[in-house]
Amino acid sequence: MAWRPFHAVLRRLLDAWVELRHCDPAPETLALDPERPVRYVLPHRALSDRLLLENLCRRHGLPLDAPPGTSAILSLPEARRRRWRRHSSSPLTALTEDLAAADPQLVPVSIFWGRAPDKRFGLWKLLAADSWALTGRLRRLLSVVVNGRSVEVVFGAPLRLGELHDPARPELTSRKAGRLLRVHFRRVRTRVLGPDLSHRRTLIDSVVASPEVRRAIEEAAAAQERSRTRLTRRAQRYGREIASNMSYPVLRFFDQLLKRLWTRLYDGVEVTGMATVKALAGDHTLVYVPCHRSHIDYLLLSYVLYRQGLMPPHIAAGRNLDMPIVGPLLRRGGAFFMRRSFRDNRLYAAVFDAYLHRLLARGHALEYFIEGGRSRSGRQLAPRHGMLAMTLRSQARLIQEQRRPRPLAFVPVYIGYERVMENASYRRELAGEKKRKESPLALLRTLKRLREPFGRVTVACGEPLILDHWLDAQCPEWRQAIPQGRPTWLGQTLPALGQALSRRINAAARLNASNLVALAMLATPQRVIETPRLEHQLRLLARLGRARPGESLAPPEGTPGDWIDHAERLGLIRRRPQALGELVVADADQAAQLGWYRNNVLHGFALPGLVAFAFRNTPRHDAAGLAQRLSPIWPLLVRELAITAPEDLTAAITEQLGQLTALGLLETVDAGWQRPRALPDQAALDQLGALVEPFLARGFLLLTVLLRQPSGRATAEALADQGRQLAERLALLSGLPAPEFFDASLFAALLEGLEAEGWVWRDNDRVHYGATLQEAARHAQELFDPALRQRLMLLAEVGEDNDGPEAS
């Protein structure tokens, strides 16, 4: 009783000093039963935690009632005290004894005064943050003073004590509750603090001393006739070049810096899907695989995770970012650096593989981009398999070594920008200009753009892929012993895994104003449209996105008029007053920018666009006939745009026909559908079909070039290059300001898709085809109207006459 006035004073001091940086979930969202008493449980005794929790409960109206002589806030006994105080009863035992009178609900509460992994930080180790080590009274006092402005509170789901009660053995109830609570607190600490970090030098030494690196040193010494001591020093140098040096003070610095940067740069950061990630973080090793659209990606994702109460991951970054000033900061923020290619350097590959294996073995979260580099076109690039292969090998090794590793979960992340900072450089590089090297000076030049509007940015976590379960279904033999070379199952598994992750990234996409306006504007012939028609088309696109089965592309808040205003503020379009009504115009430079934002979400409108395009030349279809006509084209579109394909194409097309009919873009007739009679509806249908026209035109040009010569005459490289040249010529003749339309990688990917579908095959580097491809090409030609088909065929003839794909 004598302490109550003193506690009241301390409580008021804490209330004035402490600032909650993060509270998960919001206290008012706790699913508490108002008919049952509530007891809050802390992981250990700490007066500061208790008083802080009391303030938080009072501020949010959470119940704090308790019978006289008891408290609504309990704490678990510490392990070292449980051994020598067995005669004393714990708070949970007292609750169990009174279970008949009241069945309380226990709410576990974790409080972090700052947070850091357990690593030597000098003075910061004394003052700064919660870690895996328990704190003493002096350190707790200093932590409250230093970290009062950076406190995180995590509420757990309420636990009903009565549900654990066993009438036959009532004495076990408190032990069951204590065990469940301790498991919960351990998972929360793992999620927030991450695994313990070793000293960087110690980690590098362990990597160099690993069997795989020692083996690589022996092989290099024999092949290069160099001393093992010299090669060992080189391996240590590689380790220092690669390894991160995550530092909690730098994480705190980045948190404050990036908070101000995002406030100045963006109108807001929208985060979705984080609840699923938090549920996995406590007992899974997480590997974040975001799409790569900008240099901002890795800074943004780490910031979001830190703000959401998750430990930031170790990030695989290109060595080009390891530049003066910036590189050391990124390294201390969790980046580890890798060379673009190290296939011919077996020692470097062994060091990098061993380093990655140790990070995964210790349960550290990782982040890498499966696309390899930033997407200059805005679409999801074909996955590269290097990091995925090392991750799969590491997980298989851990199971082989019988370490019982934590399950590994890939977390796909979609990052959507309303305006990306690298727009200008992307257009230059797509047009053929060489990529400029990153430098601190170039970074300083971008600072002057901070006053420009960049809109909002979205970070959306998709459906996680649990690796063990996925591999068991795809390739059960993966758990067998791994040879020193490449496992046979890896070659067939990696492409499927890369495609699955790409599809899950795209499935998490969210629409924004830039995406919608880009989809509508680039579907107009001259990139000019009346404002009412543009609003109507935006409304149709929003409804189609919302109606997507299973993977809804929810539109942003606001009306089509709001989206047009926002796109104009971002400089993507401009309005032009005219006597008969206002027009919305995109000039050549703006249209090139809009292409990037259209490609971000084009995958979500591919099937309705393809169905709409089929009605351009043939005004009437039935579902079965339309599915037969589109079935050769659809797999290629699925592959290029990383689409999650429906199991039954005919059923999916029937559903799309119904949606287009409900929107007034088609009319039912007899046993099928036909083009609408109203001219505005016909124009809207043609605009929707224009979304897939660039893909179909590229495919038509490539097939025409291929089929105009005997099977086995041309090489794949010559075909892709000839297709690119024809597409570039078509873009110039039609005034299409879209360098990504004739991107050489798209033609190479299209050939790979034809090969994957079995329509072409390679023999001695020559491309062969049969009757199946000829039949598919005939179906594809029927989709085009005669004028467009004749123009494409004439263009292909010109290309063949001037520069055909020779066999050499």
Side-chain angles (χ1 to χ4, degrees), residues 618-731:
T618 306
R620 182 178 296 185
H621 289 283
D622 61 77
L626 185 57
Q628 182 180 8
R629 179 164 292 186
L630 298 182
S631 58
I633 301 170
W634 177 240
L636 301 177
L637 200 57
V638 164
R639 185 181 182 88
E640 178 172 321
L641 298 182
I643 301 170
T644 303
E647 295 181 2
D648 188 337
L649 179 59
T650 302
I653 287 177
T654 303
E655 183 177 357
Q656 290 294 339
L657 290 168
Q659 291 179 8
L660 295 178
T661 303
L663 294 174
L665 302 183
L666 291 176
E667 296 176 354
T668 55
V669 53
D670 299 331
W673 289 262
Q674 68 178 12
R675 286 174 64 87
R677 282 168 289 206
L679 291 179
D681 294 333
Q682 291 183 16
L685 181 69
D686 290 341
Q687 279 188 262
L688 183 60
L691 294 177
V692 298
E693 184 176 328
F695 168 82
L696 297 176
R698 277 195 302 268
F700 187 93
L701 289 173
L702 185 65
L703 289 178
T704 302
V705 171
L706 176 61
L707 295 176
R708 281 180 177 271
Q709 55 192 305
S711 173
R713 178 185 175 189
T715 64
E717 292 75 11
L719 284 171
D721 184 62
Q722 180 71 0
R724 182 198 62 78
Q725 293 178 24
L726 292 176
E728 183 178 9
R729 187 179 183 87
L730 177 62

Side-chain angles (χ1 to χ4, degrees), residues 16 53 168 193 215 283 304 310 441 530 563 570 657 675 680 777 804:
L53 182 56
L193 301 180
R215 189 183 307 117
D283 49 12
V304 165
L310 294 167
L441 184 59
E530 298 90 345
W563 304 335
L570 296 176
L657 290 168
R675 286 174 64 87

Side-chain angles (χ1 to χ4, degrees), residues 35-55:
E35 302 297 326
R36 300 183 183 278
V38 179
R39 297 294 180 268
Y40 306 94
V41 184
L42 297 169
H44 49 261
R45 293 172 59 88
L47 181 60
S48 56
D49 291 355
R50 184 188 188 90
L51 298 179
L52 174 64
L53 182 56
E54 288 182 11
N55 286 336

Side-chain angles (χ1 to χ4, degrees), residues 159-170:
L159 174 68
R160 282 273 307 280
L161 196 57
E163 295 176 350
L164 304 177
H165 185 63
D166 183 0
R169 304 186 66 184

Side-chain angles (χ1 to χ4, degrees), residues 11-274:
R11 190 183 304 113
R12 285 194 290 270
L13 289 174
L14 276 178
D15 193 40
W17 173 247
V18 169
E19 179 179 320
L20 285 185
R21 192 177 64 80
H22 182 67
C23 187
D24 182 30
E28 55 270 12
T29 64
L30 291 175
L32 297 178
D33 186 350
E35 302 297 326
R36 300 183 183 278
V38 179
R39 297 294 180 268
Y40 306 94
V41 184
L42 297 169
H44 49 261
R45 293 172 59 88
L47 181 60
S48 56
D49 291 355
R50 184 188 188 90
L51 298 179
L52 174 64
L53 182 56
E54 288 182 11
N55 286 336
L56 188 61
C57 291
R58 287 190 172 92
R59 188 179 309 139
H60 293 275
L62 297 179
L64 276 172
D65 301 331
T70 63
S71 173
I73 300 177
L74 314 174
S75 58
L76 292 180
E78 297 176 14
R80 63 177 181 270
R81 294 180 179 177
R82 291 200 303 269
R83 290 195 295 267
W84 59 272
R85 289 190 176 179
R86 294 182 181 179
H87 62 278
S88 62
S89 61
S90 71
L92 295 179
T93 304
L95 285 178
T96 305
E97 294 171 353
D98 197 31
L99 195 58
D103 180 9
Q105 44 194 335
L106 306 180
V107 179
V109 184
S110 302
I111 300 176
F112 299 93
W113 298 81
R115 55 191 175 100
D118 190 19
K119 185 175 180 180
R120 298 192 183 109
F121 291 134
L123 185 61
W124 281 96
K125 178 70 176 178
L126 174 66
L127 298 181
D130 269 314
S131 68
W132 282 95
L134 295 176
T135 58
R137 288 186 176 88
L138 176 59
R139 183 177 167 191
R140 169 63 66 169
L141 175 61
L142 293 173
S143 183
V144 169
V145 173
V146 173
N147 294 297
R149 299 300 194 186
S150 182
V151 179
E152 297 185 18
V153 178
V154 180
F155 287 97
L159 174 68
R160 282 273 307 280
L161 196 57
E163 295 176 350
L164 304 177
H165 185 63
D166 183 0
R169 304 186 66 184
E171 69 279 2
L172 296 182
T173 303
S174 63
R175 292 172 59 185
K176 289 180 182 177
R179 185 163 55 249
L180 289 174
L181 289 169
R182 289 187 186 93
V183 169
H184 167 80
F185 287 130
R186 184 168 62 250
R187 287 179 175 174
V188 170
R189 291 184 73 81
T190 300
R191 187 183 87 187
V192 174
L193 301 180
D196 290 353
L197 282 173
S198 295
H199 193 277
R200 181 171 181 262
R201 178 179 54 81
T202 305
L203 178 60
I204 293 172
D205 289 344
S206 69
V207 166
V208 175
S210 64
E212 54 270 24
V213 174
R214 301 310 304 174
R215 189 183 307 117
I217 290 174
E218 293 292 335
E219 292 175 358
Q224 302 174 14
E225 296 182 354
R226 294 186 178 181
S227 69
R228 293 171 178 79
T229 302
R230 184 176 179 180
L231 291 171
T232 299
R233 287 198 299 267
R234 180 183 295 178
Q236 290 174 337
R237 188 170 67 251
Y238 288 157
R240 291 191 295 272
E241 175 187 316
I242 295 168
S244 69
N245 190 23
M246 187 175 281
S247 163
Y248 179 69
V250 174
L251 291 179
R252 288 281 300 275
F253 166 75
F254 271 128
D255 175 54
Q256 297 302 315
L257 175 66
L258 295 178
K259 180 180 179 181
R260 297 180 181 180
L261 177 62
W262 305 146
T263 302
R264 177 178 291 271
L265 198 60
Y266 298 114
D267 296 337
V269 179
E270 180 185 356
V271 181
T272 62
M274 198 58 67

Side-chain angles (χ1 to χ4, degrees), residues 515-571:
N515 301 145
L516 286 166
V517 171
L519 287 166
M521 288 297 299
L522 295 182
T524 60
Q526 302 298 327
R527 302 176 301 280
V528 180
I529 188 172
E530 298 90 345
T531 301
R533 280 189 57 199
L534 177 57
E535 291 181 352
H536 177 65
Q537 196 70 15
L538 292 175
R539 197 173 292 110
L540 292 176
L541 291 170
R543 290 178 62 183
L544 279 173
R546 191 182 291 110
R548 287 188 74 217
E551 299 173 358
S552 174
L553 267 174
E557 296 180 356
T559 65
D562 297 332
W563 304 335
I564 295 173
D565 292 340
H566 193 58
E568 183 183 25
R569 186 176 72 88
L570 296 176

